[in-house]
């Protein structure tokens, strides 16, 4: 019998819209939680992105003192860590902050997978501001994608869908394309009299491009009666399916039951048409896939991956999950 102090994990979920942090004991007790600004290393820079984590830690961890570790391990799963070199740069910068002597940085899709799957392997597809997928085999082998947008063959995500809505609406309004309800979606979404006015406002920065993702909910609603809108939703369902299918194929998981965790705001919104199309496409292309919509936030996955590092007891994992049901971060 020892009196060893329980080890702790500083879990981080860094996303395009916000950053969440949780300090978790190896017995699964959640000691502190906090959230802050978006994690944007590719636009704000690596140091500025890591500063966001430090600000949240300083504000929410009671025992925080500059330069003194607050945990034994940092498990940071963040947006913008799309390539191994990006993970390395983020890890090196985070390590210099001294939050813990042991630091792991990975893409945030790995946290989604760990949060939603019943175990440490499976496939995750995220569709939020962007779109991405990862797969982890029982052996630990990994399948992933560069996820650099159109440069790497990606299509979808809230921002990309917003651009598609704007493209079709602009062409419909000026006569180059067929009529579509997406014209009204853009006008109402940006509060402009015409689509052209919205386009010019975006061009000059008078309307922030980040608002493009706000067009997704009305796009999904319009898809019930508009052929152009429905075509976009059908294509999105196909992309969500092909990402999971390819990840499973690379790992040799197509011929056996494999959990596919779906996450990100576009998928977790539960749109009936979109989800029915996703289910249909998986049934046709990957019939052994077991679709799971994540019911806890990705910060849970980051914490569980940290507990994996410790070899924590099974009840610790359940305690963490229980804390975040319903989602609190």
């Amino acid at each position: 019998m020892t009196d060893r102090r329980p080890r702790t994990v500083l879990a981080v979920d860094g996303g395009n819209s916000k950053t969440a942090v949780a300090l978790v004991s190896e017995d699964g007790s959640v000691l502190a939680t906090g959230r802050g600004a978006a994690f944007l290393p590719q636009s704000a820079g690596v140091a500025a992105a890591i500063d966001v984590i430090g600000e949240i830690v300083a504000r929410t961890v009671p025992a925080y003192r500059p330069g003194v570790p607050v945990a034994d391990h940092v498990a940071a799963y963040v947006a913008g860590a799309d390539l191994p070199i990006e993970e390395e740069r983020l890890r090196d910068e985070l390590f210099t902050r001294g939050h813990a002597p042991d630091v792991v940085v990975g893409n945030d899709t790995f946290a989604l997978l760990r949060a939603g799957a019943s175990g440490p392997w499976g496939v995750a597809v995220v569709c939020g501001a962007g779109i991405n997928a990862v797969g982890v085999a029982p052996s630990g082998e990994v399948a992933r994608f560069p996820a650099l947008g159109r440069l790497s063959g990606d299509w979808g995500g809230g921002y990309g869908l917003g651009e598609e809505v704007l493209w079709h609406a602009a062409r419909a309004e000026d006569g180059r394309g067929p009529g579509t309800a997406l014209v009204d979606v853009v006008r109402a979404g940006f509060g402009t009299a015409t689509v052209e006015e919205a386009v010019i406002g975006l061009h000059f920065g008078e309307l922030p491009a980040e608002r493009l993702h706000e067009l997704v909910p009305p796009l999904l609603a319009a898809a019930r009666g508009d052929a152009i809108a429905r075509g976009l939703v059908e294509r999105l369902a196909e992309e969500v399916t092909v990402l999971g299918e390819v990840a499973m194929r690379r790992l040799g998981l197509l011929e056996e039951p494999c959990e596919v965790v779906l996450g990100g705001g576009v998928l977790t919104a539960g749109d009936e048409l979109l989800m029915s199309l996703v289910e249909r496409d998986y049934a046709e292309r990957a019939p052994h896939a077991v679709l799971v919509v994540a019911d806890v936030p990705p910060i849970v996955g980051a914490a569980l991956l940290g507990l994996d590092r410790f070899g924590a007891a099974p009840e610790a994992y359940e305690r963490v999950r229980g804390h975040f049901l319903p989602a609190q971060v």
Side-chain angles (χ1 to χ4, degrees):
M1 191 79 178
T2 67
D3 295 325
R4 180 179 63 82
R5 173 186 61 83
R7 293 169 292 182
T8 54
V9 175
L10 183 66
V12 180
D13 166 40
N16 290 305
S17 59
K18 54 85 183 168
T19 300
V21 167
L23 183 65
V24 179
S25 171
E26 69 178 305
D27 69 358
S29 300
V30 178
L31 307 176
T33 62
R35 59 172 17 181
F39 193 89
L40 302 170
Q42 292 168 332
S43 58
V46 169
I50 298 301
D51 283 343
V52 171
I53 298 173
E55 184 276 327
I56 302 170
V57 170
R59 176 166 43 83
T60 60
V61 176
Y64 171 77
R65 286 181 293 161
V68 178
V70 298
D72 296 283
H73 171 64
V74 173
Y77 292 87
V78 296
D82 298 309
L83 302 171
I85 185 62
E86 292 172 324
E87 292 177 339
E88 181 180 340
R89 290 170 178 168
L90 288 163
R91 181 200 173 278
D92 289 347
E93 182 68 26
L94 185 51
F95 187 79
T96 66
R97 307 307 173 94
H99 298 311
D102 183 47
V103 177
V104 169
V105 172
N107 185 267
D108 53 350
T109 315
F110 287 100
L112 169 63
L113 173 59
R114 193 66 181 89
S118 60
W121 68 275
V123 168
V125 181
V126 61
C127 185
I131 191 166
N132 195 8
V134 297
V136 178
S139 66
E141 182 184 358
V142 170
R144 62 190 300 181
F145 301 87
L148 302 176
R150 292 188 65 85
L151 287 172
S152 58
D154 306 329
W155 188 92
Y159 184 83
L161 286 169
E163 288 184 321
E164 293 289 336
V165 170
L166 195 63
W167 188 89
H168 283 286
R171 293 175 67 87
E173 184 177 79
D174 67 19
R176 286 176 293 170
T180 171
L182 297 181
V183 171
D184 291 331
V185 165
V186 171
R187 292 172 179 172
F190 287 107
T192 57
T194 65
V195 175
E196 183 178 343
E197 183 182 340
V199 169
I200 293 172
L202 289 164
H203 175 69
F204 285 111
E206 296 162 357
L207 293 172
E210 292 76 13
R211 288 188 57 194
L212 281 168
H213 70 86
E214 297 175 9
L215 300 178
V216 175
L219 161 67
L220 294 172
R224 288 160 176 78
D226 182 83
I228 300 296
R230 184 181 177 94
L232 292 177
V233 175
E234 288 176 342
R235 185 178 176 188
L236 177 61
E238 182 180 1
E239 288 293 316
V240 170
T241 303
V242 75
L243 280 166
E245 177 196 3
V246 170
M248 284 186 281
R249 181 185 301 117
R250 288 182 183 175
L251 298 174
L253 299 175
L254 272 175
E255 302 305 320
E256 60 183 288
C258 175
E259 290 177 315
V260 178
V261 181
L262 305 176
V266 177
L267 293 174
T268 59
D271 180 78
E272 185 176 346
L273 174 61
L274 173 59
M275 298 312 291
S276 67
L277 292 170
V278 168
E279 291 169 2
R280 181 200 67 186
D281 290 352
Y282 269 98
E284 293 176 355
R285 304 178 64 152
H288 297 289
V290 179
L291 301 185
V292 179
V293 178
D295 61 353
V296 291
I299 188 66
V300 173
L304 299 186
L305 286 162
L307 293 179
D308 289 343
R309 191 85 163 180
F310 295 159
E315 55 267 25
Y317 296 85
E318 293 307 314
R319 189 170 289 122
V320 173
R321 287 186 179 278
H323 180 89
F324 290 97
L325 279 172
Q328 297 178 12
V329 173

